[in-house]
Amino acid sequence: MKRAVKEVLKFEVIFKRITLCLVNPLLNEIYQTYVSSKGVFYELSVVINIVMLCIQEETFTIRQVMVNSVWNLKVLKGSTLVFSSVYYLLLLPLVSLVYINSLVPKIEIPRFILGEMQRTEIGTAGNVIMKAIFYVLYLLLFFVPIYMVLRQQEWKNGVTESVKCLKRLKWRNRMRIFACFGSWIAVQHGLTLYWRRNRLENKDFDIYFYKYLIYS
């Protein structure tokens, strides 16, 4: 697991830099939306493939995995592309838990809307119910990216297998997942506070730094 974390962090540094330097500045909002619909899936594909290779104790480089993961994009076609776009560009950023990407890392409901909702008991209850629905959907669809990447399953089949997988889990394993989610939230909060105090600068990323990440 330690190796998987290290390799994923290497890739994320590279991909985030590509996003900041190429995708965001060069493409307008329309093309950014199109690129994001596949770019988010591609990023998660690389991460899932890295983790699987580490579990299998395979030897690889970040460059190899990035190139091979391009083939995962062929599953995004027809209705799968439509439903996947909603899932990867809306639901995952709204929950912002575990499956976090560089192109659309987080979506927040505007504060003025939440503020107006919390003025009344009905609005407050509606806010709680809405968030609960987001998290229930997230849990039910949690394994969809894994099935789409590793088994090249289309959206409908991925959803079916994800729900089946969740049902097959014992309560002990479900509690482990919840514990991992809680730990993730705590770590994410800590990292957010840290980087607010210690911002990276462009000079921290030179050509030798990226060559090391790609070929190591």
Side-chain angles (χ1 to χ4, degrees):
M1 182 58 67
K2 185 182 296 185
R3 182 193 175 201
V5 173
K6 177 183 176 182
E7 298 297 334
V8 168
L9 287 176
K10 283 184 182 180
F11 164 69
E12 288 297 338
V13 170
I14 297 170
F15 196 80
K16 281 179 171 56
R17 195 64 175 178
I18 293 174
T19 302
L20 291 173
C21 295
L22 295 178
V23 178
N24 291 342
L26 298 181
L27 301 179
N28 59 34
E29 293 182 0
I30 296 177
Y31 285 104
Q32 282 184 22
T33 302
Y34 175 77
V35 171
S36 295
S37 63
K38 293 194 174 184
V40 172
F41 178 70
Y42 171 75
E43 181 178 359
L44 295 179
S45 296
V46 176
V47 172
I48 291 172
N49 285 327
I50 287 174
V51 173
M52 181 55 61
L53 288 170
C54 289
I55 292 175
Q56 296 173 345
E57 298 183 351
E58 298 283 348
T59 301
F60 63 89
T61 65
I62 299 299
R63 180 176 180 275
Q64 290 173 337
V65 181
M66 290 179 67
V67 172
N68 293 335
S69 295
V70 174
W71 294 102
N72 294 130
L73 296 175
K74 65 182 181 180
V75 75
L76 295 178
K77 55 185 178 181
S79 60
T80 295
L81 177 59
V82 176
F83 289 110
S84 295
S85 297
V86 176
Y87 175 69
Y88 290 110
L89 300 181
L90 185 60
L91 180 61
L92 293 188
L94 277 171
V95 177
S96 189
L97 183 64
V98 180
Y99 293 124
I100 300 175
N101 65 86
S102 302
L103 295 169
V104 190
K106 189 171 184 178
I107 294 178
E108 293 184 345
I109 299 174
R111 292 184 179 274
F112 73 90
I113 295 179
L114 294 178
E116 290 297 323
M117 293 179 65
Q118 293 173 353
R119 290 178 181 273
T120 63
E121 293 182 357
I122 296 178
T124 301
N127 182 34
V128 173
I129 293 173
M130 180 176 61
K131 290 183 177 180
I133 291 174
F134 290 156
Y135 279 97
V136 169
L137 285 174
Y138 175 82
L139 287 173
L140 290 175
L141 304 176
F142 181 76
F143 297 103
V144 169
I146 297 175
Y147 281 102
M148 289 183 67
V149 172
L150 299 182
R151 296 190 180 180
Q152 286 292 289
Q153 292 189 345
E154 295 184 352
W155 172 258
K156 182 179 179 180
N157 295 332
V159 171
T160 301
E161 292 299 327
S162 179
V163 174
K164 287 182 179 179
C165 185
L166 196 61
K167 289 181 178 179
R168 288 196 298 264
L169 289 176
K170 296 180 179 179
W171 278 105
R172 180 177 59 184
N173 293 330
R174 294 180 187 178
M175 294 306 297
R176 286 178 178 174
I177 292 177
F178 294 146
C180 290
F181 285 170
S183 300
W184 182 279
I185 293 173
V187 171
Q188 186 180 33
H189 179 69
L191 288 174
T192 300
L193 294 177
Y194 175 81
W195 290 119
R196 283 178 181 173
R197 295 191 299 264
N198 303 273
R199 295 183 180 276
L200 290 175
E201 299 179 359
N202 290 333
K203 65 181 181 180
D204 296 317
F205 304 94
D206 55 22
I207 186 63
Y208 300 104
F209 175 78
Y210 290 107
K211 286 177 66 176
Y212 168 75
L213 291 180
I214 293 174
Y215 292 102
S216 61

